[in-house]
Amino acid sequence: MAVLKIYTDGACSGNQNENNTGGWGAVLEYGEHRKELHGGERNTTNNRMEMTALLKAFEAIKTDGQTIEVFCDSSYLMNCFREKWYAKWTVNGWKTSGKKDVENRDLWEALLPFLDRHSISFFRVKGHVSTGSTETVLKKTYAKFKAWNGERFTYDDFIYITEMNCRCDELANEGVDELR
């Protein structure tokens, strides 16, 4: 069975300002098939757009039981899933270790059921890296990518994943632009 690969990114112009515009982008790849998604929201945050990109990608999956690899540049999103922050949050009544309400609870609650429906691995990507950067910069970024994700990805894999992250950034910005 082929692995479904999901690449996501979110953007927010004027993040944390009272009036702002956010966008999200996602690319799903399954074998030779590819689907691109994007959208936007007003008065949001970058974290919400990162989460929305993943949620929309998950919602586009038509069959349960998929083996999925998610690539995202949001440490907030990736750390939650990789370190299972959500398990503590649900036990603590959606409170952080500092006893504050978990931000974006609505989106976390929408995302979590997909963990039971699929076998999902999460991989962190450094955002805003151009594959046109110098070889020295790319090798340094690849070393960081391997430190985050292990040795399983080749340099060529890393370059492709970086290109897909850039594509998702473009899609997120299309979502922003469509609301302007």
Side-chain angles (χ1 to χ4, degrees):
M1 175 184 271
V3 173
L4 172 60
K5 296 184 180 187
I6 297 175
Y7 309 88
T8 65
D9 198 19
C12 188
S13 178
N15 193 43
Q16 300 299 334
N17 291 340
E18 186 176 329
N19 295 303
N20 61 44
T21 307
W24 57 268
V27 177
L28 293 81
E29 291 182 332
Y30 186 79
E32 298 296 317
H33 303 281
R34 179 172 164 167
K35 182 174 189 134
E36 294 187 350
L37 307 168
H38 73 276
E41 292 180 17
R42 295 191 191 284
N43 304 323
T44 187
T45 66
N46 191 72
N47 282 340
R48 287 190 69 80
M49 293 295 89
E50 297 279 1
M51 297 172 74
T52 298
L54 183 56
L55 179 60
K56 296 299 185 180
F58 282 163
E59 289 174 346
I61 300 169
K62 296 178 180 157
T63 306
D64 285 352
Q66 299 294 316
T67 300
I68 301 171
E69 293 179 346
V70 173
F71 299 89
C72 178
D73 65 9
S74 168
S75 57
Y76 174 65
L77 191 55
M78 292 299 95
N79 289 344
C80 177
F81 287 118
R82 291 168 55 140
E83 297 173 20
K84 300 188 178 6
W85 295 350
Y86 59 86
K88 292 177 188 167
W89 293 340
T90 57
V91 167
N92 294 334
W94 287 96
K95 300 285 184 192
T96 67
S97 58
K99 307 295 182 214
K100 295 182 179 178
D101 290 337
V102 170
E103 292 183 14
N104 306 309
R105 177 179 173 177
D106 59 325
L107 291 172
W108 289 120
E109 288 182 321
L111 285 164
L112 292 179
F114 291 98
L115 299 179
D116 294 328
R117 293 172 55 185
H118 305 286
S119 173
I120 307 171
S121 300
F122 295 92
F123 301 98
R124 186 163 167 217
V125 179
K126 176 134 178 58
H128 309 285
V129 174
S130 169
T131 55
S133 298
T134 66
E135 192 69 16
T136 303
V137 169
L138 289 172
K139 292 286 186 183
K140 186 176 178 181
T141 307
Y142 177 51
K144 181 169 281 219
F145 178 82
K146 289 194 304 182
W148 287 334
N149 301 302
E151 298 286 329
R152 76 176 266 199
F153 296 102
T154 67
Y155 182 73
D156 288 340
D157 293 335
F158 159 75
I159 293 296
Y160 183 76
I161 291 164
T162 298
E163 289 170 348
M164 296 309 299
N165 180 255
C166 290
R167 177 62 187 141
C168 290
D169 183 59
E170 291 170 357
L171 290 167
N173 283 308
E174 285 180 32
V176 170
D177 290 343
E178 288 173 1
L179 291 175
R180 288 187 172 158

